[in-house]
Amino acid sequence: MSQDAYRLIGPDGTESEHAVLTGTTGPDVIDIANLYREQGVFTYDPGFVATGSCKSDITFIDGEDGVLLYRGYPVEQLAKHSNFIEVSYLLLHGELPTTQELEEFDRTIRLHTMLNEGMLQFFNGFRYDAHPMAILSAVVGSMSAYYHDTLDTSNPEERDIFAHRILAKLPTIAAAAYKLSIGQPFMYPRNDLNYTENLLQMLFSVPAEPYVMDEIAAEALDLLFILHADHEQNCSTSTVRMAGSSGANPYSAIAAGISALWGPAHGGANEAVLEMLEEIGTVENISKYVDKAKDRDDPFRLMGFGHRVYKNFDPRATIIREMAHKVLAQLDNPDTPMFDLALELEQVALKDEYFIEKNLYPNVDFYSGIIYKALGIPTDMFTVMFALGRSVGWAAHWREMIADPKGKISRPRQLYTGPPQRDYVLVDERG
Ligand code: CMC
């Protein structure tokens, strides 16, 4: 038996040997692919708390030390020196671009911002009060009906064009969903503007007036997109990989990821934070709600607190907290009571024994919601903004998954707890 192997002994003495796989950094992984064949048992790990689902070169997280690396680069350095388009290139291609590569990539993304005109008709079919995440996932799913030239998943060139399209067109789709909800005309993309400026223009400009760019808003959004760009095998990314593992076209896989992101335990948390703050209402009510969050019999949780992986602090939250303060300081007329409430809640929870003991710290979504609100982005668009940033991570993971020659369809097993086999009873004979 190799020294680098685990030996498992079953209750009947059956032995099996399992290779230990070592990554670049992070805990080793035990390869249990042969466990069922050799021992006749499955492993059980609901929520994948201790289970790696794939090998990946893209992102590394150390939850204990609050480390987040994209292709090896600390997110703090990228947040300080880079921008979302360069980070997107890094995630998709594995290396930082040269000046020329960056210019070319930036130009390519700008050239893909428009939607097939036929797709715009889709928006009129949605109710005016449709949630923009519902629209986003439906319209992205429909992209496979328009962009037939990128459906051959075995063609690397088509895979690249798919990635460019997703990155470039998501802001246009998001802005169209927003304009629909407020009854304003759709604003076409402007390719003379950079990624976040163009998004702001599509969200907030109207044909009747010249648009004045809000540079702080553009800077804040760019930072948020960098911080949201990838997060290894999170729920939505795992969903994209799983849906894509069947060979489904990439737009369908991304639509599945968008749906997964919507949930309040994941990307929907930023919207839930604002709803929670509205429910709490005033600083005087904070202790009542903190007590509710601590009560095991009450399902209420403090949204924007806690994380499956980060158990000391969320490095994204540390960066974005600073930006939240910068954005709030620039505002002429901030919604002061709401922001005061958020900052007070942050302080109360940080000092509370329950939250300290369970390692529940404010996560990125606690502050991102505050920034979006300050920028005038409506609450139901918050998770859409998260999706825009995460789109490049989804595309990078889908490309990595599909390019793996040893790739298999994702097909977990289960612990069956339903009735054992029984015979069908005719309806007249049932008691
Ligand atoms: N408020 C109060 N108690 C909490 C919270 C919270 N926000 N989060 C976890 N706990 C408690 C939980 O009740 C449990 O207590 P006990 O040990 O007594 O049963 C313990 O802490 C561990 O919680 P868990 O649910 O087993 O932890 P998890 O790793 O499965 O869940 C989480 C992680 C993020 C889903 C959870 O912390 C949560 O629901 N947070 C609020 C939603 C949120 O902010 N989500 C955004 C995550 S960051 C953005 C992203 O990456 O998507």
Side-chain angles (χ1 to χ4, degrees), residues 49 228 231 234-236 261 263-270 272-273 290 292-294 296 300-311 314 316 354-355 358-361 363-366 386 390:
V49 177
H228 278 134
H231 216 221
N234 60 89
C235 177
S236 56
L261 184 76
H266 190 11
N270 51 17
V273 168
V290 168
K292 269 164 77 63
K294 289 165 18 180
R296 278 177 156 261
F300 177 79
R301 283 186 170 197
L302 277 193
M303 300 314 287
F305 284 80
H307 197 274
R308 168 61 63 79
V309 182
Y310 296 122
K311 294 303 175 198
D314 178 343
R316 303 167 302 172
Y354 171 94
F355 287 87
K358 291 191 187 297
N359 298 316
L360 300 170
Y361 297 91
N363 58 49
V364 69
D365 279 338
F366 185 73
F386 190 155
R390 187 55 55 86

Side-chain angles (χ1 to χ4, degrees), residues 14 29 32 69 137 142 207 228 246 318 380 410 417:
T14 325
V29 169
I32 48 108
L69 310 177
S137 104
S142 82
H228 278 134
S246 72
T318 312
D380 63 1
S410 288
T417 53

Side-chain angles (χ1 to χ4, degrees), residues 378-425:
T379 315
D380 63 1
M381 283 291 289
F382 289 5
T383 313
V384 171
M385 306 304 281
F386 190 155
L388 300 191
R390 187 55 55 86
S391 64
V392 69
W394 292 330
H397 281 271
W398 177 83
R399 278 175 15 134
E400 184 180 67
M401 182 271 310
I402 211 79
D404 180 357
K406 292 195 186 138
K408 283 179 185 304
I409 184 168
S410 288
R411 192 359 183 139
R413 304 309 299 258
Q414 64 169 5
L415 177 67
Y416 176 66
T417 53
Q421 181 172 334
R422 48 187 170 163
D423 289 327
Y424 180 81
V425 181

Side-chain angles (χ1 to χ4, degrees), residues 38-251:
E38 300 196 7
Q39 300 254 21
V41 291
F42 296 140
T43 53
Y44 181 63
D45 181 17
F48 300 101
V49 177
T51 298
S53 59
C54 61
K55 288 184 188 171
S56 181
D57 295 347
I58 302 173
T59 289
F60 174 75
I61 301 176
D62 178 336
E64 267 68 44
D65 289 343
V67 173
L68 170 59
L69 310 177
Y70 294 162
R71 302 284 190 181
Y73 295 102
V75 74
E76 292 82 358
Q77 292 180 20
L78 295 168
K80 190 163 177 205
H81 302 295
S82 188
N83 59 57
F84 179 60
I85 286 297
E86 185 180 60
V87 166
S88 298
Y89 182 99
L90 172 68
L91 287 169
L92 289 170
H93 298 285
E95 294 297 336
L96 287 168
T98 61
T99 308
Q100 196 194 337
E101 284 166 340
L102 182 58
E103 275 170 18
E104 235 167 75
F105 182 71
D106 185 44
R107 191 165 48 247
T108 305
I109 299 305
R110 289 182 197 227
L111 289 178
H112 277 292
T113 52
M114 282 173 67
L115 300 181
N116 180 301
E117 204 65 13
M119 282 177 71
L120 290 177
Q121 306 306 317
F122 258 37
F123 289 86
N124 297 327
F126 290 102
R127 267 177 66 126
Y128 71 97
D129 57 354
H131 195 287
M133 281 299 278
I135 299 182
L136 194 71
S137 104
V139 174
V140 168
S142 82
M143 286 173 78
S144 58
Y146 288 94
Y147 300 109
H148 296 160
D149 56 341
T150 41
L151 301 186
D152 178 1
T153 59
S154 66
N155 181 330
E157 207 181 313
E158 293 196 17
R159 301 200 294 247
D160 277 356
I161 303 172
F162 146 75
H164 299 152
R165 283 208 176 116
I166 275 295
L167 185 55
K169 292 186 198 306
L170 235 56
T172 315
I173 298 171
Y178 173 58
K179 288 297 196 188
L180 173 82
S181 73
I182 55 168
Q184 283 187 3
F186 168 71
M187 297 299 292
Y188 281 90
R190 272 185 46 196
N191 293 351
D192 60 314
L193 298 176
N194 72 28
Y195 191 86
T196 44
E197 289 170 347
N198 179 42
L199 171 64
L200 285 167
Q201 176 279 133
M202 289 191 290
L203 287 172
F204 296 124
S205 71
V206 287
E209 284 181 29
Y211 178 64
V212 181
M213 186 56 62
D214 179 345
E215 293 303 339
I216 291 281
E219 188 194 337
L221 287 185
D222 197 77
L223 179 66
L224 277 162
F225 291 159
I226 292 175
L227 300 180
H228 278 134
D230 194 37
H231 216 221
E232 52 118 304
Q233 309 311 320
N234 60 89
C235 177
S236 56
T237 302
S238 300
T239 302
V240 169
R241 279 183 174 263
M242 188 171 221
S245 76
S246 72
N249 73 71
Y251 301 105

